[in-house]
Amino acid sequence: MEKTIASLLGAAPLALDHDFGAGLLGLPLPAAPAAGPALSGPVEVARGERFAVARGVAVMPVRGVLTPNAEILERFLGWATFAGIEASCGALAAQEDVAAVVIEFDTPGGLVLGGAAAAGAIAALAAVKPVHALVNPLAASMGYHLASQCSEIAMTPGSLAGSIGIMRQAGWPVGPDGAGQQWQIFTSTHARAKLPNPETEAGRAEIRRDLDAHEAAFHADVARGRGIAPGDLAARLSVTDDPADGGATFGPEAAIARGLADRAETRLAFYDRIFAAHAPKPAAARRGSGRGHLAQAAAAQARATL
């Protein structure tokens, strides 16, 4: 039976947009590196590299289903890992030739496990130099959690951001298997929360308690990163008057109106703006005068025509 990417995640809590993530989870585990760069210009990031630097700006792609440290997905598909993001942020914070950082997002989210450390690393980096998020075309769930810690968030036309919330799939044996055996699952006396039974009210309550704890931490980080009052965030995320109706994704206009993003612009306009703001300026030519300057200019003209 072919193993899929979903087999790496198991039944762990997910900060993942199901609509956009399900297809990726169903892909077979890669057996060889994909062709081409991990991210194409204006700054090209080679496959196998976590970021690249050009003209004083570092560009880090955050793509694919996010995991703590799935090296096979990072190396073969160019998908980001939380360990890789954390290491990259530490390196870029100390790199003197980097004036600003761009994190370009194309991710439906991923596992909850390890995500808070990556979000904290982005926030720490943004405290020492500008970190610009570009949603192109998706920063959903854990992807948005990370983007919310950047100095600003720009969205390209047609892009989506949000899907803020946690989900988990849970199974339990309810009938005989193919061999006719009825399986039962037992936990030790003081470990009922280790594997809650979703068929029981107590089990469902424990699953929701765990999900709500993760969501509270998610909301707190987003509110802090975006400068939104924590008590106001759930209402801003809801698609109705009921704060429980959150978890949706929003296009640029709606995201900006809710305080989830700062501007909408094309990818080209975004990079033009970032390089104009942060790329080193060419040293101004020293202005000469007098006969010495004229002589130097004549000599330079003569050499140029040789």
Side-chain angles (χ1 to χ4, degrees):
M1 183 176 179
E2 187 177 52
K3 285 190 174 183
T4 65
I5 290 171
S7 66
L8 297 179
L9 277 59
L14 297 172
L16 179 89
D17 188 279
H18 184 267
D19 289 347
F20 295 105
L24 297 179
L25 293 176
L27 293 175
L29 287 176
L39 185 70
S40 298
V43 178
E44 183 172 294
V45 180
R47 193 164 301 278
E49 299 294 328
R50 290 171 172 162
F51 61 85
V53 179
R55 296 164 55 196
V57 176
V59 177
M60 181 197 318
V62 171
R63 310 181 72 181
V65 176
L66 307 175
T67 60
N69 52 14
E71 184 182 0
I72 187 173
L73 302 182
E74 183 178 33
R75 189 200 307 174
F76 286 179
L77 296 181
W79 291 4
T81 65
F82 300 137
I85 292 169
E86 190 174 0
S88 296
C89 288
L92 292 171
Q95 201 161 321
E96 293 184 358
D97 64 334
V98 172
V101 178
V102 168
I103 305 181
E104 189 165 334
F105 288 90
D106 179 10
T107 173
L111 285 170
V112 171
L113 181 67
I122 292 173
L125 176 59
V128 297
K129 56 186 65 175
V131 180
H132 304 273
L134 178 64
V135 180
N136 182 44
L138 182 65
S141 212
M142 180 54 72
Y144 185 79
H145 189 167
L146 301 181
S148 71
Q149 304 306 295
C150 295
S151 310
E152 69 153 6
I153 299 176
M155 298 178 65
T156 58
S159 62
L160 293 171
S163 190
I164 296 170
I166 312 297
M167 69 177 186
R168 173 182 170 182
Q169 294 180 329
W172 201 265
V174 294
D177 64 13
Q181 299 186 62
Q182 177 69 54
W183 289 88
Q184 297 290 335
I185 300 175
F186 297 91
T187 59
S188 55
T189 301
H190 299 100
R192 191 180 297 166
K194 179 183 284 287
L195 191 62
N197 182 353
E199 294 294 307
T200 67
E201 187 61 37
R204 289 191 292 271
E206 169 53 28
I207 291 171
R208 188 167 299 281
R209 180 205 64 79
D210 183 56
L211 295 178
D212 286 348
H214 289 304
E215 182 184 82
F218 191 166
H219 278 209
D221 276 355
V222 170
R224 182 170 53 252
R226 294 299 303 164
I228 299 171
D232 295 341
L233 182 63
R236 293 199 190 194
L237 300 177
S238 177
V239 294
T240 70
D241 293 334
D242 186 345
D245 290 330
T249 53
F250 303 100
E253 184 177 351
I256 292 169
R258 285 170 165 79
L260 302 180
D262 300 295
R263 62 177 75 217
E265 58 191 334
T266 66
R267 186 172 186 255
L268 178 60
F270 170 84
Y271 277 105
D272 283 347
R273 175 172 62 86
I274 297 305
F275 282 121
H278 300 294
K281 303 297 187 290
R286 295 182 62 181
R287 305 181 71 178
S289 61
R291 294 179 179 176
H293 168 65
L294 295 175
Q296 291 175 7
Q301 179 65 29
R303 287 195 298 270
T305 57
L306 289 178

